[in-house]
Amino acid sequence: MNYTAEAPAGWDPAFADADDCLLSMDQCVVRGQHYFVKGLIEIPVIDSDEVFSWGVWVSLSRESFSRASDLWDRPGREAEKAYFGWLTTDLPVYPATTLNLKTRVHTRPVGERPFVELEPTDHPLAIEQRTGISLERVRDIASTVLHAGDGEQR
């Protein structure tokens, strides 16, 4: 019930040894100029108590990334206001790219990935986040992702 991207779009494995780059399970910095956090786009599964999640990367401003980093291990961080960001994960199951969709990143308690709320547009991903998906759609997503080989199923 979860697909996760290992790195944001634009990450190159050659960056791994650079002093001004970082890729962890939760945060990424590219060339000391681009800042990302990993969060979850959660989609309710209709007629179920289940939730399907996309583990995605969102770019934040330097200021927002710095603030989120300062609060990363601090209890109560979920009281922080949401951060504006741009989706930087291209999900393979949508006819239109998901890159650069507008988001709000909501911090959750320590140990939980942030919740990524998409701007309510007519993009299929935004519609699914608002209205939910069927279990059949979850199966279709799993099949597409597994055949694409671009992601990691968890």
Side-chain angles (χ1 to χ4, degrees):
M1 296 296 274
N2 180 288
Y3 165 89
T4 189
E6 293 183 23
W11 174 261
D12 185 319
F15 295 160
D17 294 327
D19 290 340
D20 59 351
C21 296
L22 160 83
L23 177 62
S24 72
M25 291 182 63
D26 300 304
Q27 298 178 329
C28 180
V29 177
V30 174
R31 298 290 180 217
Q33 297 177 357
H34 304 284
Y35 306 90
F36 309 89
V37 294
K38 193 170 198 177
L40 297 175
I41 295 175
E42 295 177 343
I43 302 173
V45 178
I46 299 167
D47 296 328
S48 167
D49 293 333
E50 298 288 326
V51 172
F52 178 83
S53 298
W54 289 109
V56 298
W57 291 89
V58 176
S59 69
L60 298 179
S61 69
R62 180 184 191 121
E63 296 77 21
S64 293
F65 182 82
S66 178
R67 176 78 178 153
S69 294
D70 288 347
L71 299 175
W72 202 257
D73 294 318
R74 188 175 300 170
R77 70 182 191 167
E78 64 274 15
E80 183 74 0
K81 68 177 180 137
Y83 304 109
F84 174 80
W86 298 97
L87 188 60
T88 55
T89 300
D90 194 20
L91 301 173
V93 301
Y94 296 97
T97 184
T98 56
L99 289 175
N100 297 317
L101 293 177
K102 292 180 182 180
T103 69
R104 302 292 293 168
V105 178
H106 300 267
T107 306
R108 296 198 236 193
V110 173
E112 294 182 36
R113 287 206 190 281
F115 171 71
V116 178
E117 176 188 15
L118 295 167
E119 179 182 51
T121 65
D122 63 354
H123 189 283
L125 176 58
I127 292 169
E128 288 182 346
Q129 187 177 45
R130 289 193 309 273
T131 63
I133 58 176
S134 67
L135 195 52
E136 184 61 32
R137 173 71 172 139
V138 173
R139 288 187 196 105
D140 289 344
I141 289 170
S143 176
T144 301
V145 168
L146 289 173
H147 287 93
D150 292 334
E152 180 178 310
Q153 195 79 13
R154 296 201 183 190

